[in-house]
Amino acid sequence: MVLLSLLILGALVKGHLALTASECGSYYRLPAYTDISVYCGTESIKLAIQVCPVIYTGYNESLLILNKIANDPLCRGTLDATANPPVVRFSFPLRQLDACGSIFRTTSAPGTGIFSDFSNIQTVNISGVVRSFDPTIGTVTYNAELSYFYSCAYPLEYLINNTQVDVSSSSIAVIDNNGSFISTLSMQLFKDVNYTTPLVIPAIGVELRTRIYVQVIAANLTSQYHVLLDRCYASISALPTNSTFFNLFVPCSQDQFTTMLENGNSQKARFSFPAFRFVEQQNQTISTYYLHCITRLCETSTCAQFKQCNRRRRREIQTTTIKDGVSDTTLITSGPIKTASETPLATKDQAVSSAQKDSGNGASVGLGIALAVLVIVGTVAALMAVSFYRKLRMLR
């Protein structure tokens, strides 16, 4: 009976199969939930569906249709017979207009962990289905309908750290089924308002009040999202947990010396601030700290609402200690920003020489004062002696 069913299924799809049952070997079986794998990339979503169970059911790769789009070559699957097991591959971009019929849903929820100060953290979910198309003409069919569902969830809020202060950009590779845009984001420091010359931190640090220009940019990201900085701050530790920090920019408020140049209007955000020192490091020749930005990717149509102060919680600008952990966020190892002391400390030999010089000058001044006092006392004594002598002669 089973052999007869297999012969019937083979006859229904005769001329369409790219692989035979013998070529599938042990992979020629009934479909299972694990037959599909999903890669949620930063630019595209990729699907891989095992083809042998598809052939077993009576179809082939050309009869698997992505989101009911059959007439677009870019949305069709391609057979990869070199894979083990063989698979049908689909790949489509994350752009909403040409994502092969995928459904985009943006949800909001209160922030947690490092994002606990924000009442609205968004996540975009991109989903769809690959279904089989049955070419059977007639009243009945012996082919089961196949449905392969996929879903990728991308958070739209990230903590971005300065990766290295003397290079133009950096990124990390992300491979996970939940998906992340973090690898498209980078932070760069510049020394000019035109953002053309990268800032290179010298070994002795930059001078206080030197204007530092910061840019957070998204590269190779679908055009439907803009970059919006929710908060940027400096901390003494590379990992801001339990570290003294200073807010440069928070929702609806910023430090008086921080200048926001662009935020939420494109795929780059820019601001600047003057180099400063942490009071905690006042006894050190060089003050070292790290820059961090909590960055939101907002849809172009919704960025404006996140700029409204009444929709987000505020945090006072102050220097304090972070209590919340960052174990649930993605951190990029940061390089230090160094600021030089405004009046560099003298060397030990210079200090000793100066102390000896000051001591010698003090002794000379003291000796001069003593001699002047002696001259005055001697003069007074001489005058008194002359007066006494004259009085004695008059008495005689």
Side-chain angles (χ1 to χ4, degrees), residues 33-44:
Y33 292 108
T34 57
D35 288 347
I36 183 174
S37 62
V38 182
Y39 171 76
C40 304
T42 58
E43 298 181 62
S44 63

Side-chain angles (χ1 to χ4, degrees), residues 192-219:
D192 63 309
V193 69
N194 295 322
Y195 289 83
T196 57
T197 307
L199 176 63
V200 178
I201 306 295
I204 60 174
V206 297
E207 295 183 4
L208 292 174
R209 292 180 292 276
T210 297
R211 181 62 60 168
I212 297 177
Y213 296 88
V214 184
Q215 175 176 269
V216 176
I217 189 170

Side-chain angles (χ1 to χ4, degrees), residues 52-86:
C52 289
V54 174
I55 296 174
Y56 181 91
T57 311
Y59 304 98
N60 62 22
E61 76 280 358
S62 66
L63 298 178
L64 293 180
I65 309 300
L66 176 61
N67 294 318
K68 299 182 179 180
I69 299 178
N71 57 353
D72 188 346
L74 297 179
C75 299
R76 293 175 185 168
T78 58
L79 176 65
D80 183 0
T82 62
N84 187 22

Side-chain angles (χ1 to χ4, degrees), residues 115-299:
F115 306 121
S116 59
D117 285 338
F118 304 97
S119 58
N120 190 353
I121 299 297
Q122 290 189 317
T123 299
V124 59
N125 184 279
I126 304 171
S127 61
V129 59
V130 177
R131 285 193 170 94
S132 59
F133 173 76
D134 193 344
T136 302
I137 299 175
T139 306
V140 299
T141 180
Y142 293 92
N143 301 332
E145 182 183 12
L146 299 179
S147 298
Y148 299 93
F149 294 88
Y150 64 90
S151 175
C152 287
Y154 293 85
L156 299 180
E157 194 90 2
Y158 300 95
L159 175 62
I160 307 301
N161 289 44
N162 180 29
T163 56
Q164 200 165 357
V165 298
D166 57 352
V167 296
S168 60
S169 65
S170 63
S171 61
I172 62 172
V174 176
I175 302 178
D176 57 61
N177 286 333
N178 289 327
S180 174
F181 291 125
I182 184 70
S183 65
T184 69
L185 299 169
S186 64
M187 178 185 292
Q188 304 150 298
L189 302 183
F190 295 85
K191 62 187 302 183
D192 63 309
V193 69
N194 295 322
Y195 289 83
T196 57
T197 307
L199 176 63
V200 178
I201 306 295
I204 60 174
V206 297
E207 295 183 4
L208 292 174
R209 292 180 292 276
T210 297
R211 181 62 60 168
I212 297 177
Y213 296 88
V214 184
Q215 175 176 269
V216 176
I217 189 170
N220 300 321
L221 180 66
T222 175
S223 60
Q224 70 193 71
Y225 297 107
H226 284 175
V227 172
L228 177 67
L229 301 182
D230 268 327
R231 176 191 174 204
C232 289
Y233 60 99
S235 70
I236 290 180
S237 172
L239 297 177
T241 307
N242 298 324
S243 171
T244 300
F245 75 90
F246 177 72
N247 280 323
L248 297 168
F249 174 80
V250 293
C252 308
S253 181
Q254 64 189 47
D255 177 65
Q256 60 177 332
F257 299 113
T258 298
T259 301
M260 184 59 63
L261 302 174
E262 181 178 356
N263 196 23
N265 300 321
S266 68
Q267 292 195 338
K268 63 177 178 292
R270 292 173 168 178
F271 69 96
S272 67
F273 67 95
F276 55 86
R277 290 169 57 85
F278 275 90
V279 176
E280 184 176 324
Q281 298 176 334
Q282 61 183 348
N283 294 327
Q284 301 176 18
T285 305
I286 298 176
S287 178
T288 302
Y289 49 87
Y290 302 80
L291 191 61
H292 317 276
C293 282
I294 293 179
T295 304
R296 179 190 298 270
L297 295 178
C298 53
E299 292 178 308

Side-chain angles (χ1 to χ4, degrees), residues 291-311:
L291 191 61
H292 317 276
C293 282
I294 293 179
T295 304
R296 179 190 298 270
L297 295 178
C298 53
E299 292 178 308
T300 55
S301 60
T302 62
C303 285
Q305 75 181 44
F306 289 103
K307 294 183 180 181
Q308 299 177 13
C309 299
N310 58 355
R311 298 184 66 88

